[in-house]
Amino acid sequence: MSIQDNIELSWAFEKAFHKYAAYESQPRDFGIGFPLTQNEIHTIVLVCENEGISLGELAKARAVTKGAMSQLVSKLVAKGLLIKETAAHSASYVALRPTELGRKANENHSRAHAAMGATIDQVLLADMTTEEIRRFTKKFNQFSELLDKEVEEGT
């Protein structure tokens, strides 16, 4: 691979990632009558997948501070998407559960992901072999690890 090929690949990655970031920043209505940010819907997804999860566990899973998660959960409770309950085993443990509206948003989010997956299969992966897809996945995971190191080092 030439230096020019490396440069073109780097620009293609950067262009795609910027577009994905713009896509992720757009709030969407997941069939509940009002839009949710990606941060909100992905928090709801985690609560649906881990009913009874604590605020601290949720913050760790989302890689944010407990204070930031507390603010987000309060917004989702106010919107009628999550419920905070004191756990039976500990008065200080606050368990999080989805409401029916939260479950509906989660289900519609899953459907949207399935539709996007089908499009990716048809548009991007249809002409690739299983081995090429595995190599592509491996390279993306390696790239993700490189980004983790860059973030850790603060560069």
Side-chain angles (χ1 to χ4, degrees), residues 55-155:
L55 194 60
E57 293 165 336
L58 188 58
K60 185 176 180 182
R62 296 285 295 141
V64 298
T65 66
K66 196 172 175 180
M69 185 53 64
S70 179
Q71 289 179 0
L72 178 57
V73 165
S74 292
K75 286 180 186 177
L76 294 173
V77 168
K79 290 180 178 185
L81 298 161
L82 295 181
I83 299 167
K84 290 198 277 188
E85 301 174 334
T86 303
H89 68 277
S90 170
S92 64
Y93 186 98
V94 176
L96 301 170
R97 301 195 189 290
T99 63
E100 285 307 311
L101 191 61
R103 287 184 210 286
K104 182 177 179 182
N106 178 52
E107 290 167 9
N108 290 333
H109 174 259
S110 292
R111 284 189 197 98
H113 266 285
M116 180 180 277
T119 300
I120 288 171
D121 285 349
Q122 291 170 353
V123 175
L124 296 177
L125 306 178
D127 64 343
M128 293 175 71
T129 67
T130 300
E131 184 55 34
E132 288 173 324
I133 292 169
R134 287 183 182 140
R135 289 183 68 221
F136 193 62
T137 301
K138 181 179 177 182
K139 292 300 176 187
F140 261 104
N141 287 331
Q142 288 173 330
F143 183 66
S144 181
E145 290 171 11
L146 286 172
L147 290 175
D148 287 342
K149 288 178 185 173
E150 292 293 319
V151 169
E152 280 178 23
E153 294 171 4
T155 57

Side-chain angles (χ1 to χ4, degrees), residues 24-42:
E24 282 283 304
S25 71
Q26 295 175 343
R28 289 181 174 69
D29 183 345
F30 293 97
I32 59 171
F34 54 89
L36 297 172
T37 66
Q38 291 299 307
N39 195 26
E40 289 172 326
I41 191 63
H42 290 148

Side-chain angles (χ1 to χ4, degrees), residues 6-23:
N6 284 341
I7 291 169
E8 287 179 24
L9 178 61
S10 294
W11 279 115
F13 265 122
E14 186 171 341
K15 183 178 173 182
F17 290 132
H18 282 291
K19 287 182 180 185
Y20 185 75
Y23 168 81

